[in-house]
Amino acid sequence: MTNQRILAHFHESAELKIQSATVLAPPIAQAIEMMFAALSNGNKILVCGNGGSAADAQHFAAELVGRFERERFPLPAIALTTDTSILTAVANDYSYREIFSKQVQAFGQAGDILLAFSTSGNSGNVVAAIEAALEREMRVVALTGKGGGEIGKMLTDADVHICVPADRTARIQEVHLVCIHSICDGIDVALFGGDVHE
């Protein structure tokens, strides 16, 4: 029974990734182009999400500031999920909904990009962060699932929506990880050309 459940996780994850590839490749390519253009112009990427998506936000920022698969200069990406003093002060003094939007208002500038993770597309603090980003003339790349929720409705034509065609949170997060790695790879190739794998 245990082995069957484990195998089911692997098969379901693999099948969703294969099914998602054709649907998600075009918006991922758009995200790469948008992020490369912003980074080339001296702009930065702010990243947010809750729970497992907070881990994805930090993972993405680490890949840009450190490296993905080859040596390069650090790229400016900031995970808005990591400063416990800011998070707890804003949550306590204002509301949990504003923990990311306050940081977007503080650090975001026109031309920057907000990379926003929400598996449901309805996370209130991520919605508020997107609102703040759009007010500041930033562009948004949203990684969602479950049809995109409220976030899918608020994005503009200038933004990119990478919506995993699934309803199970764990599976959506697994596809989000492949999306992150695809974006990092695309940025490296845009910077240096050729094959990253050495």
Side-chain angles (χ1 to χ4, degrees), residues 114-118 130 140-144 151 155 160-163:
L114 177 69
L115 176 58
F117 291 87
S118 173
I130 292 171
V140 178
V141 175
L143 283 98
T144 69
I151 289 170
L155 297 175
V160 176
H161 190 193
I162 302 169
C163 181

Side-chain angles (χ1 to χ4, degrees), residues 12 16 119-120 144-149 163-173:
E12 189 177 296
L16 177 61
T119 57
S120 67
T144 69
K146 304 183 184 182
C163 181
V164 179
D167 291 320
R168 192 171 178 184
T169 298
R171 297 292 91 91
I172 295 165
Q173 289 173 332

Side-chain angles (χ1 to χ4, degrees), residues 84-160:
T84 54
S85 293
I86 290 175
L87 296 174
T88 54
V90 173
N92 185 63
D93 296 347
Y94 299 93
S95 74
Y96 191 72
R97 192 176 194 277
E98 296 183 62
I99 60 170
F100 301 137
S101 59
K102 290 278 189 194
Q103 294 184 77
V104 171
Q105 291 166 343
F107 304 128
Q109 298 175 321
D112 290 346
I113 291 174
L114 177 69
L115 176 58
F117 291 87
S118 173
T119 57
S120 67
N122 294 317
S123 304
N125 53 16
V126 178
V127 168
I130 292 171
E131 289 170 349
L134 295 176
E135 286 169 7
R136 298 186 76 76
E137 297 181 3
M138 295 170 59
R139 296 177 77 180
V140 178
V141 175
L143 283 98
T144 69
K146 304 183 184 182
E150 190 177 341
I151 289 170
K153 296 171 188 165
M154 65 190 299
L155 297 175
T156 72
D157 290 339
D159 303 315
V160 176

Side-chain angles (χ1 to χ4, degrees), residues 20-30 32:
S20 300
T22 307
V23 177
L24 299 185
I28 290 171
Q30 286 180 302
I32 292 166

